[in-house]
Amino acid sequence: MATLIRRGRIEPSPRLPDAGEVLRLEPGDDPARVADRLGAVARVEVNFPRFTDGRGYSIARLLRERHGYQRELRAVGDVQRDQLCYLSRCGFDAFLLREGEDPEAALAALGDFSEAYQASVERPQPLFRRR
C-alpha cells in the first residue's frame, strides 16, 4: 500500500475523504485553465506517471507562485524518496509514495540538504540575498 507523507509526518493510515473537491492535474495540463476553481478545491494532486517526467515540478511552482494556491498540494504517482526534497522546494506539501518506498527513509530525505543556492517556493530569495 502506498504511504502518505503530509506536513513532515507519515500518515499512519488512510484518512477519511476530504470535504470538498479534489482536483487532479496530469503532466500535460495547464494550471491556468483551472485557476478559477482553485479556491473551491480541498486539495490539488499532481500526477507523476514516471520518475523521469518532471513537468509536475513546473505545475507546482505555477500553482503556488502565479496562481497563489495555498491549500494542500500533493504529489502522486511514481513518487520516490529521491524526489521529495525537490518536490518540497517547488511547493508540494504532501507526497503519496509509490508502492515499496520506505516511508522513514523518504521522510528523512526532506532534510537531505541544509541549504540551497536557488530561490524556491519555500525560500523566495536565493542564498546570496539571504547572507
Side-chain angles (χ1 to χ4, degrees):
M1 184 166 135
T3 304
L4 177 64
I5 295 178
R6 179 195 339 238
R7 294 184 208 101
R9 297 179 319 147
I10 298 169
E11 293 283 326
S13 61
R15 290 187 27 221
L16 295 174
D18 290 309
E21 181 183 2
V22 174
L23 178 63
R24 185 177 178 114
L25 297 175
E26 296 296 326
D29 292 342
D30 181 1
R33 290 183 168 223
V34 297
D36 59 332
R37 295 175 47 204
L38 293 175
V41 298
R43 77 168 176 264
V44 174
E45 295 181 348
V46 178
N47 186 33
F48 287 82
R50 289 179 308 280
F51 176 77
T52 57
D53 191 339
R55 293 175 288 176
Y57 293 93
S58 299
I59 290 172
R61 291 218 48 177
L62 289 170
L63 287 169
R64 295 288 194 205
E65 295 174 343
R66 186 172 295 169
H67 303 294
Y69 182 70
Q70 297 295 313
R71 294 190 179 122
E72 182 177 310
L73 182 56
R74 185 181 295 183
V76 300
D78 191 11
V79 178
Q80 301 177 33
R81 176 213 187 278
D82 291 346
Q83 295 169 286
L84 264 57
C85 181
Y86 304 109
L87 289 167
S88 176
R89 289 180 43 78
C90 289
F92 287 98
D93 53 9
F95 317 92
L96 187 62
L97 301 175
R98 74 175 186 173
E99 205 61 46
E101 285 292 311
D102 177 1
E104 295 292 337
L107 186 60
L110 290 171
D112 276 354
F113 301 100
S114 60
E115 197 60 76
Y117 294 108
Q118 305 87 355
S120 70
V121 170
E122 293 176 314
R123 298 180 93 176
Q125 290 192 332
L127 181 64
F128 74 92
R129 294 264 189 232
R130 296 190 306 256
R131 298 220 174 207

